[in-house]
Amino acid sequence: MSRVSIVVAVSLLVLPGALLAQTKGKGIRLWNLTSATISGFELSPAGKTEWGPNQTLNDKDKEVDHDERLRITGVEPGRYDAKVSYSGSKQCFVRDIEIKADAVFSVSDKDLKDCNK
């Protein structure tokens, strides 16, 4: 077998895996930089109140601790408002979050607005 044939054969074996790795991202993820554990996280298109499912249910323990990341599912890239809930009955809103494909977005205490006590 010639050197060229070997290079072509190896390329055909390696290339599909490399292409798959490039096209398969980690998805959209929330990074909780608030000072508390989030027990509810719902998204709505910016300026609307069409809340989607509670994304914290995607987590093993159904909560997102401080400095933990959460995979967000069923959401297309765009601008969203978020309803953030904490244990007890505290609820806050985060307005106009830009969500990009295969990227991490964060929510911190300074982002929280219109919180009930």
Side-chain angles (χ1 to χ4, degrees):
M1 190 176 235
S2 73
R3 285 182 112 154
V4 173
S5 298
I6 292 172
V7 168
V8 169
V10 169
S11 296
L12 290 174
L13 292 173
V14 174
L15 188 59
L19 288 175
L20 181 61
Q22 288 177 352
T23 59
K24 185 178 178 184
K26 291 186 176 184
I28 298 169
R29 289 153 344 268
L30 160 69
W31 187 9
N32 179 13
L33 295 178
T34 68
S35 56
T37 298
I38 294 174
S39 59
F41 189 83
E42 301 169 49
L43 292 167
S44 172
K48 299 184 179 188
T49 56
E50 301 166 0
W51 302 109
N54 180 359
Q55 296 285 336
T56 63
L57 299 179
N58 299 335
D59 190 69
K60 285 184 280 185
D61 66 359
K62 312 298 184 220
E63 294 183 320
V64 187
D65 298 326
H66 166 75
D67 201 29
E68 182 180 5
R69 288 175 181 82
L70 171 71
R71 180 180 278 288
I72 302 296
T73 61
V75 174
E76 294 296 320
R79 293 206 166 274
Y80 292 86
D81 294 337
K83 186 184 335 180
V84 183
S85 303
Y86 296 94
S87 62
S89 59
K90 182 178 177 181
Q91 212 174 52
C92 300
F93 294 91
V94 180
R95 306 284 182 204
D96 202 32
I97 300 169
E98 182 178 7
I99 294 180
K100 298 179 181 179
D102 294 324
V104 176
F105 67 94
S106 64
V107 172
S108 64
D109 288 337
K110 69 178 175 57
D111 300 319
L112 302 174
K113 308 290 181 211
D114 303 321
C115 297
N116 65 0
K117 301 292 177 181

